[in-house]
Amino acid sequence: MTQLVLAPMEGLVDWRVRQLLSAVGGFDHCVTEFIRVSQTLFPAHVFYRYCPELHQGCKTASGLPVLVQLMGHDPELLGENAAFAVELGAPGIDINFGCPSKTVNKREAGASLLKCPENLYHIVKAVRAAVPDHIPVSAKIRLGYADKELFLENARAVEEGGAQHLTVHARTKMEGYKPPAHWEYLARIREAISIPMTANGEIWTVEDYRRCRDISGCTSFMLGRGAIACPDLAARIKAFEAGQEPVKQSWSDVLGLLLTYIDLLAQDGTTENHQAGRIKQWVALMRKGHAPAAQCFDDIKRIRAVSELQEKLQQDRDNPAYQRTEDPIAAE
Ligand SMILES: Cc1cc2nc3c(=O)[nH]c(=O)nc-3n(C[C@H](O)[C@H](O)[C@H](O)COP(=O)(O)O)c2cc1C
């Protein structure tokens, strides 16, 4: 049975996006944006800020479990923070070994740890030892830092450290987010380890999913930018696997989702600046999934007042031309 995971995406997939995308359907669980652990055991409010779902059984409103993701370099400190997150209700801990950010990597966290598989081993082992046995610990890696030389060693280190699950973004740190993703390496990792594995990278369409599945041999997939560009991508994939016709979102449906997002952000007390920024960011990313998003982005990019933004989105939502549920993915 295919498993689909909504990717952690810092500055993009906040808890309201998790709420909205998990309600559209197709996903099996979500992961928080990374919480960067560098010097201290965080107080509870930090965990609640990144993962407000901790107040509701650590599930999204539609019932999907949310794993808490930690990133850092100090095994003991990561362990302490992981144990506290679990005390607060996290159903699992994911450890980030893939972040390419310069500031993060300068301080020896994220993807830079991939230069030495021992790093991964010690961190996973410490986190595993710090949380109760029934709580799964997982890790998310890339294929390497500058090259792919250590891709198997890093995967094995995660397994030997005691993780229950591994997610692999099929690119090195240096490859950033540039296509292609090297799904063929995933098959080799899958054969080298015995813990279950999730494939990640460059799945934008059902056809990408099918190719990634066939090349990697995986049954679990993490969707990042593809699910932002096309919010019903996970539902389409699940329908494809079930041999059913998916109920496809029209551009009008997508605009309805964005309008709900504004309401939810306002409910959370965020500033208008934040709300407008998030909407523009999302619409910009939707240009890869929905043809009308390009015009919409041009129309809204200079709007600052949220009321004006809402008016424009409402106008388009109610435009009959955008209510057709024809296939909106330009690439398909
Ligand atoms: C804006 C942005 C923020 C991200 N933040 C995180 C993060 O907090 N934790 C993490 O493990 N990966 C993070 N990633 C990586 C994604 O989870 C995913 O591995 C990557 O986007 C490749 O998948 P995709 O091709 O489906 O987007 C981020 C990616 C982007 C583009």
Side-chain angles (χ1 to χ4, degrees), residues 114-149:
L114 298 169
K115 291 180 207 162
C116 176
E118 284 223 323
N119 290 328
L120 277 60
Y121 171 78
H122 289 301
I123 289 174
V124 172
K125 196 165 185 298
V127 172
R128 180 62 277 168
V131 302
D133 290 351
H134 68 280
I135 298 291
V137 171
S138 55
K140 180 159 175 276
I141 65 173
R142 284 178 175 252
L143 293 176
Y145 188 83
D147 57 46
K148 303 182 184 64
E149 216 169 288

Side-chain angles (χ1 to χ4, degrees), residues 7-10 12 33-34 69 96 140 169 171 177 200-202 223-225:
M9 297 178 93
E10 193 243 343
L12 186 57
E33 299 160 83
F34 65 74
Q69 189 183 69
N96 178 319
K140 180 159 175 276
H169 175 187
R171 275 183 277 243
Y177 295 99
N200 171 237
E202 223 58 37
L223 308 177
R225 293 160 303 156

Side-chain angles (χ1 to χ4, degrees), residues 36-73:
R36 177 129 166 259
V37 172
S38 58
Q39 300 179 2
T40 172
L41 172 60
F42 284 123
H45 71 83
V46 172
F47 290 98
Y48 289 127
R49 186 169 80 230
Y50 283 95
C51 187
E53 292 97 332
L54 285 166
H55 290 296
Q56 50 192 46
C58 215
K59 290 187 170 156
T60 64
S62 42
L64 297 193
V66 181
L67 305 185
V68 169
Q69 189 183 69
L70 301 179
M71 180 171 74
H73 65 279

